[in-house]
Amino acid sequence: MTEHLDVRAHHLEETYSKTIFGFWTYLMTDCILFATLFATFLVLHKNTFGGPGAKELFSLPFALTETLILLTSSFTCTLSKLAAFRNDKNKVIAWFAVTFLLGVAFIAMELNEFAHLVHDGNSWQRSGFLTAFFTLVGTHGLHISTGLLWMIILIVPVFRNGLTPVSLKRLTCLRMFWHFLDIVWIFIFTIVYLMGAL
Amino acid sequence: MFGRLNADAFKHDLIENLAGYSILIGLVVVIYLMFHHQRWKWIWKEYITSLDPKKIGVMYLVVAFLSLIKGLVDALMMRVQQMFSVGESFGYLEPDHYQQLFTAHGTTMIFFVGMGIVFALMNFVVPLQIGARDVAFPFLNAVSFYLYAVGAGLVVISLVVGVFSGTGWVCYPPLSGLAYNPGVGVDYWIWSVQIAGIGSLLSGLNFFATIVKMRCSGMTLMKMPIFIWAILGTLILILFAFPILTATIGMLTLDRYLDMHFFTPDFGGNPMMYINLIWAWGHPEVYILVLPGFGVFSEVVATFSQKRLFGYVSMIWALGAITFLSFIVWLHHFFTMGAGANVNAFFGIMTMLIAVPTGVKIFNWLFTMHRGRVLFTTPMLWFLGFVLIFTIGGMTGVMMSMAPIDFQVHNSLFLIAHFHSVIIGGVVFGFFAAFAYWFPKIAGFKLNERLGRYAFWCWMIGFILAFMPLYALGLMGATRRLDHYDAATGWQPLFVVAAVGIAIIFLGIGFQILQVIVSIKHRKQNLDTTGDPWNGRTLEWATPSPPPEYNFAVIPHVHDRDAFWTMKHARVHHKPHYEDIIMPKNSAIPPFIGGFSFLLGFCLIWHIMWLAAFSFVGIIICMIIRLSQKETEHLISAKEVEKHI
C-alpha cells in the first residue's frame, strides 16, 4: 500500500514540474505572438493616412492609471500565493477576488477608451496606425479577459473543495499568466503610449 | 440565418463535382464497412478517444496519407493541363479552378502532409527513444491531433461547399485582401491553416516539454539519439515560428472580417509587412519539415551500416547551426522586393552559410557508411536517393541565394524544381525510410522488401522525370502557376516528360499501397518476435513489437549514446523490479473539441455568426468539463505488468 502512495506522490510531483515547464514554454510562444504585433505596430505607427496620430489621441494620465491598476492587481495576485503557502483557503479566494475586480476595472477603462476613439470617428478602419493600435492593445485586453474567465473557472472549485495539489498547480499557472500580461502591458505603455505621446 | 451559405455554394463544374462526389462516395463506403464489420465501438475505444501517442501517431498517418493522395491528384491535374494547354488549345481546366489547384496542392502538402508526417514520427518515436512512457501532456496531444485533422477536413470540404483559395499557398495580400478576393476561398485557407497551425504549436510545446523533462535516467543531452536532437531542433523552430504564423494570419483575418488596414495598399497599410512576416515563419517551416528527415537518416544509416554514427558531436553542432541560421534568411524569398543591395547581400550570404552545416551532415552519413557492413534494405535505398536528390536541390538553392541569379529565376519553374528537390528528397524520402524502419515496431511485423524496392525505383525515376525538366523550363523562362503557354516556346515536350514523371510516381504510390496490403496478408512470415528486427541501437528496440500501452515495464537506465546496443552487449541480467504504472485514461473530449472547432471554422468561413459563437462556447465548456474531471488516470499494478512480460 505504501508503494502505491509512493508512486502516486512521485507522479504528482512530476506532473507539477512538467506543467510549470510547459506553461513557461507557452508563455514564451505568446511572447513571440506579441512581438509580432509590436513589430507590426512599429512599422505602421506613422501611417496615419491623414488622420490623427498618437499625440492627438492618447492621454498619458489615463494610461498611467490603467498601468497602476494592473500593477496593483499583479501585487494582490502574489499575495494570494503567500496565502496559498500557508494553506489559507479564504485568503487565497479573497486576494483573487481583489485581483479579479482590479482586472475588471482595467478592462472597463480600456473599453471606455476604445469606445471614445470609435465614437470620435477614429476606429480601426481609419488608418494603418489605428488598425495596429487596436489590434495590439485589444489582443492584450483579450488575454486579460481570458484570465478573468479563468479565475472564475479555477476559484469556484477551490471554494467548494478547498486547496488541492491540482488546484494549487493550476493557480500557479494562472498567476504566471497574469504576471506575464503585466510585463506585456509595460511594453505597451512604453512603446504605444509614452513613445507615442511624448 | 446561414450567412453567405446558399444553393450556389454547391454548384460546381463537372471536374470539381467528380472530385467532390468521389470523396463523398469514399466516405459512405467507409461508413458502410464500419457498420458491416461492427467496428464503431472498437475504433472509438482504441483510436478516437485514445490518449496513447502510438495510436495518435497512427491517426496522424492516416490523415497525412489521404492528404498526400489528394495533393498528388492536384499535381497530376496541373501537369496534365500544362501538357495540353499550348497554343490554340486551352486545356481542360478553367483558370479559376487551376488557381485553386495550385493553392490547394501547396497548402495540403506543407500543412497536412509535411506537418502530419512530422508529428506522426514524433508521436511514435520520441517517447520510445527517450525511454518515457508517454508524452508530457497526453490530453493536449490528442487535442492537437484533432485540430490538425480539422484543418485538413476544411480543405476537403471546400471541394463540396464553395471554393478554395486561388491565391497561392502563402496567400499574399493585396490579392488575398477583401478588395480583390471577397469570396470564401481565402477564408477557407485562413481557417484551415489557422486551426491546424494552433494544433502544431500545441504539439510543439508538448514534445518540447517531453524531451526536456521526461528522458530516462542517465540520458544526458549528449547521450540523446541524434533523431531526438533533430526533433529538438524542429521543436525549437516550431515554438519560435508558429506564433508568428498565428499572429500574421490573425491580422489578415482582421483585414478581411473587420475591415482593418494591416496589409491593404490603401489607408496606410503595408502589404510587404505580410510577406516579411509570413516568410519569417515560412523559412523556419522548411527546416521544421526537413530536420526530422535528417534525424531519421542518422538512425537508419547507423543501424544498417552496423556502425556507430560518425561525428555525433559535429551532427549536433550542424543541427544547431541550421536551427539558428534558418531564422535569418527569410528575405531570400523576395530578393526582388527591392530592399537594396546590402540587405540582399546579407541574406544571400546567410543562405549560403546554411550549405556548410548541411554538407557536414551529408559527409557524416557517408563516413558512417565507410567501412561499415552496409545492408541495402529499403530504408537505405531511400537514404541513397535522398543524397542524390537533396544535393541537387541544395546546390540549386545556393545558386538562387545569389540575388543576381535570383532576379532571373524568381517565380520560375526553376524555383519549383529546387524546392521540390529538397522537400521530396529530404522530407518525403526521409519519411518513407522512417516508415519502413519503424513499421515493425508499430505493427509487429516487417514490410515486404521487394515491393518496397519497386516503389523506391518508381519514385526515384518518376522524380527525375518530373522535376529535371522543370529546371530546364525555368531557365527557359517558364513561370510557376502557368496554365497556358505559346506553342512557339517549344516547351511542350518537356511538360509531357514532367507529366509522365508524375504518372510514374503514382505507380510508386500504388506499389506502396500494395506493399502494405501484401505485408499484412503475409504477416505470419515476417513477424517480429524479438522487438529488435534490425539489430538496432536505440531504446525503442528494447521494447516488444508492438510495445505495450506503457512502453517500458521498467524504465531503462542509460550509460551510453547507443543505449540499447550497449545493453545488448553488456549481458548483465538484473532481476527487474516492477512498479505500479500510472497511465492516462481515454477521453472523449478531444474529438468533441475537434468537432466544435470544425463547426467554428466552417461557420466563420460562411459568416454564420450565431453558430460560430455556439461552437466557441462549446469548446470552452469542453475544457471546463475536462478541468473538473477527477479520475483522469488509471493505475496498472506491478503484478499486472509482470504478468505481461
Side-chain angles (χ1 to χ4, degrees):
Chain A
M1 199 58 213
T2 50
E3 201 184 333
H4 282 278
L5 287 178
D6 264 8
V7 170
R8 284 203 187 270
H10 183 65
H11 182 72
L12 212 60
E13 216 170 89
E14 269 185 350
T15 311
Y16 182 84
S17 123
K18 276 188 291 201
T19 308
I20 301 299
F21 180 81
F23 201 77
W24 264 109
T25 316
Y26 155 71
L27 288 183
M28 292 304 102
T29 63
D30 218 13
C31 192
I32 291 170
L33 186 124
F34 274 109
T36 312
L37 295 177
F38 272 111
T40 312
F41 177 82
L42 286 173
V43 168
L44 296 179
H45 80 288
K46 290 237 162 70
N47 300 4
T48 52
F49 202 65
K55 255 202 177 83
E56 292 96 85
L57 292 178
F58 303 144
S59 142
L60 273 185
F62 189 84
L64 185 67
T65 316
E66 281 180 292
T67 309
L68 290 177
I69 289 178
L70 204 61
L71 289 181
T72 315
S73 81
S74 236
F75 180 66
T76 55
C77 191
T78 309
L79 290 179
S80 83
K81 181 180 184 159
L82 295 178
F85 273 141
R86 291 189 306 266
N87 224 354
D88 189 342
K89 171 186 153 187
N90 291 334
K91 276 220 171 114
V92 169
I93 294 172
W95 284 123
F96 263 112
V98 176
T99 312
F100 182 85
L101 290 177
L102 288 168
V104 169
F106 173 85
I107 283 292
M109 282 187 81
E110 188 163 275
L111 286 178
N112 183 32
E113 186 191 18
F114 282 7
H116 273 290
L117 285 172
V118 173
H119 185 255
D120 297 342
N122 297 317
S123 78
W124 51 86
Q125 295 168 351
R126 179 72 186 82
S127 67
F129 156 65
L130 281 165
T131 289
F133 164 77
F134 273 101
T135 308
L136 174 57
V137 180
T139 305
H140 178 267
L142 212 59
H143 274 74
I144 291 277
S145 312
T146 312
L148 293 175
L149 179 67
W150 193 3
M151 272 181 214
I152 299 172
I153 293 173
L154 290 194
I155 285 300
V156 170
V158 173
F159 196 72
R160 275 194 289 180
N161 310 330
L163 294 166
T164 61
V166 174
S167 69
L168 284 174
K169 176 186 81 183
R170 287 174 182 165
L171 289 176
T172 306
C173 289
L174 175 57
R175 270 193 297 266
M176 282 159 68
F177 185 68
W178 201 254
H179 293 318
F180 166 72
L181 292 181
D182 225 19
I183 295 168
V184 172
W185 179 261
I186 300 283
F187 280 91
I188 291 180
F189 180 66
T190 313
I191 291 174
V192 177
Y193 291 97
L194 273 182
M195 282 164 64
L198 287 177
Chain B
M1 178 75 177
F2 291 111
R4 292 194 277 181
L5 188 62
N6 54 34
D8 285 342
F10 297 91
K11 283 182 193 143
H12 294 98
D13 67 22
L14 181 71
I15 296 169
E16 289 165 325
N17 270 334
L18 221 62
Y21 286 133
S22 49
I23 286 172
L24 283 181
I25 290 169
L27 206 65
V28 170
V29 168
V30 170
I31 291 174
Y32 169 75
L33 285 176
M34 296 287 290
F35 272 117
H36 188 73
H37 294 286
Q38 298 183 337
R39 282 302 183 100
W40 286 110
K41 212 171 168 185
W42 167 80
I43 201 169
W44 177 259
K45 218 176 130 233
E46 290 292 316
Y47 286 94
I48 293 178
T49 60
S50 173
L51 299 189
D52 182 349
K54 297 182 286 295
K55 303 278 177 64
I56 291 173
V58 172
M59 294 198 284
Y60 266 111
L61 218 52
V62 170
V63 178
F65 178 74
L66 294 175
S67 300
L68 177 70
I69 300 289
K70 180 186 170 289
L72 274 173
V73 170
D74 290 339
L76 184 70
M77 287 172 77
M78 283 190 277
R79 287 283 172 266
V80 172
Q81 164 77 5
Q82 287 173 327
M83 199 162 92
F84 294 120
S85 176
V86 51
E88 301 288 295
S89 157
F90 282 86
Y92 69 112
L93 290 174
E94 297 293 320
D96 280 358
H97 189 191
Y98 187 80
Q99 289 174 359
Q100 289 180 47
L101 277 181
F102 65 65
T103 308
H105 171 77
T107 309
T108 306
M109 288 302 198
I110 296 290
F111 290 99
F112 304 113
V113 180
M115 293 309 281
I117 59 184
V118 166
F119 286 123
L121 281 181
M122 284 191 206
N123 271 289
F124 283 134
V125 184
V126 168
L128 282 169
Q129 260 194 354
I130 62 173
R133 291 196 167 121
D134 205 341
V135 295
F137 311 111
F139 178 80
L140 190 67
N141 195 23
V143 172
S144 308
F145 163 73
Y146 281 103
L147 294 180
Y148 155 82
V150 162
L154 284 174
V155 177
V156 171
I157 205 161
S158 76
L159 285 168
V160 186
V161 193
V163 293
F164 195 65
S165 167
T167 54
W169 77 278
V170 276
C171 226
Y172 280 0
L175 179 60
S176 61
L178 203 52
Y180 302 94
N181 246 314
V184 294
V186 175
D187 298 327
Y188 262 117
W189 182 87
I190 283 179
W191 291 108
S192 61
V193 172
Q194 184 70 298
I195 293 173
I198 291 171
S200 302
L201 182 58
L202 294 176
S203 258
L205 191 157
N206 199 344
F207 281 93
F208 184 66
T210 306
I211 293 180
V212 173
K213 298 296 271 188
M214 292 176 71
R215 278 168 289 132
C216 63
S217 69
M219 188 180 279
T220 56
L221 284 177
M222 295 312 268
K223 281 180 191 152
M224 293 199 304
I226 281 284
F227 179 76
I228 299 297
W229 267 107
I231 294 294
L232 191 62
T234 307
L235 294 167
I236 291 170
L237 289 171
I238 290 177
L239 293 175
F240 276 99
F242 269 81
I244 307 178
L245 179 74
T246 307
T248 310
I249 299 181
M251 288 188 260
L252 184 65
T253 315
L254 290 171
D255 268 10
R256 291 180 60 84
Y257 281 73
L258 293 180
D259 229 346
M260 286 200 180
H261 300 291
F262 281 110
F263 309 126
T264 53
D266 215 346
F267 287 95
N270 186 347
M272 277 323 291
M273 189 64 199
Y274 179 90
I275 295 171
N276 270 291
L277 287 175
I278 200 81
W279 286 114
W281 158 80
H283 198 84
E285 165 68 12
V286 183
Y287 289 89
I288 290 169
L289 296 179
V290 85
L291 287 187
F294 289 170
V296 170
F297 289 131
S298 304
E299 300 295 323
V300 162
V301 170
T303 303
F304 292 109
S305 303
Q306 309 191 52
K307 245 181 90 190
R308 188 171 245 229
L309 186 75
F310 183 90
Y312 175 89
V313 178
S314 65
M315 280 294 206
I316 292 169
W317 279 102
L319 281 169
I322 295 173
T323 304
F324 174 71
L325 286 172
S326 69
F327 277 104
I328 46 173
V329 296
W330 79 89
L331 193 126
H332 70 211
H333 293 269
F334 43 93
F335 278 143
T336 53
M337 171 174 87
N342 289 335
V343 174
N344 281 1
F346 172 80
F347 282 93
I349 291 167
M350 289 304 128
T351 308
M352 287 174 215
L353 271 183
I354 291 193
V356 178
T358 317
V360 167
K361 298 186 76 69
I362 299 264
F363 279 108
N364 277 341
W365 290 317
L366 295 180
F367 283 130
T368 307
M369 288 174 72
H370 179 64
R371 294 205 163 177
R373 289 165 194 271
V374 184
L375 304 170
F376 287 98
T377 51
T378 31
M380 269 319 264
L381 291 182
W382 291 113
F383 166 71
L384 294 173
F386 151 81
V387 172
L388 179 70
I389 292 176
F390 189 83
T391 309
I392 294 172
M395 287 196 298
T396 51
V398 175
M399 279 169 72
M400 282 191 298
S401 71
M402 292 169 235
I405 297 183
D406 184 74
F407 272 66
Q408 299 301 316
V409 291
H410 182 77
N411 262 357
S412 75
L413 286 179
F414 188 87
L415 163 80
I416 303 296
H418 153 71
F419 76 66
H420 281 84
S421 298
V422 283
I423 291 185
I424 294 182
V427 185
V428 180
F429 282 21
F431 168 68
F432 289 149
F435 186 68
Y437 182 59
W438 279 305
F439 186 86
K441 183 51 55 194
I442 304 153
F445 53 91
K446 286 203 238 181
L447 283 171
N448 184 305
E449 276 283 316
R450 178 188 291 265
L451 287 167
R453 278 202 298 277
Y454 291 169
F456 166 74
W457 285 110
C458 285
W459 267 93
M460 194 66 195
I461 294 166
F463 177 84
I464 289 170
L465 288 178
F467 289 98
M468 293 306 138
L470 298 199
Y471 281 117
L473 281 166
L475 290 175
M476 286 152 78
T479 54
R480 69 196 294 193
R481 296 165 182 164
L482 190 71
D483 71 334
H484 180 76
Y485 50 95
D486 206 70
T489 51
W491 293 341
Q492 197 179 19
L494 287 173
F495 274 120
V496 173
V497 175
V500 171
I502 303 266
I504 297 179
I505 289 179
F506 259 92
L507 197 63
I509 289 272
F511 275 123
Q512 284 170 311
I513 295 172
L514 196 66
Q515 184 193 24
V516 174
I517 295 171
V518 168
S519 309
I520 292 176
K521 264 206 161 135
H522 298 273
R523 63 180 174 278
K524 296 247 160 64
Q525 284 100 306
N526 291 317
L527 276 189
D528 169 31
T529 48
T530 57
D532 180 23
W534 312 115
N535 195 7
R537 317 177 72 82
T538 38
L539 282 179
E540 73 270 34
W541 307 111
T543 61
S545 307
E549 180 198 359
Y550 43 80
N551 291 352
F552 297 91
V554 179
I555 294 287
H557 182 79
V558 166
H559 302 281
D560 200 8
R561 264 174 213 160
D562 289 336
F564 180 53
W565 188 265
T566 321
M567 279 180 207
K568 270 194 289 195
H569 293 83
R571 294 174 194 284
V572 201
H573 288 288
H574 308 290
K575 191 178 177 317
H577 171 68
Y578 297 106
E579 274 187 345
D580 296 346
I581 298 173
I582 297 175
M583 295 301 292
K585 279 183 190 165
N586 280 8
S587 170
I589 293 173
F592 275 103
I593 290 182
F596 280 124
S597 308
F598 186 85
L599 201 60
L600 177 66
F602 187 80
C603 294
L604 285 169
I605 290 164
W606 291 98
H607 293 213
I608 312 170
M609 292 309 172
W610 61 272
L611 197 52
F614 167 79
S615 6
F616 185 67
V617 173
I619 294 175
I620 292 180
I621 289 176
C622 281
M623 296 199 278
I624 293 176
I625 292 175
R626 175 69 185 180
L627 283 177
S628 57
Q629 279 174 344
K630 292 239 166 59
E631 292 295 318
T632 58
E633 286 164 330
H634 66 110
L635 191 130
I636 305 169
S637 71
K639 270 196 195 125
E640 251 175 281
V641 175
E642 199 169 359
K643 221 167 43 193
H644 277 96
I645 293 302

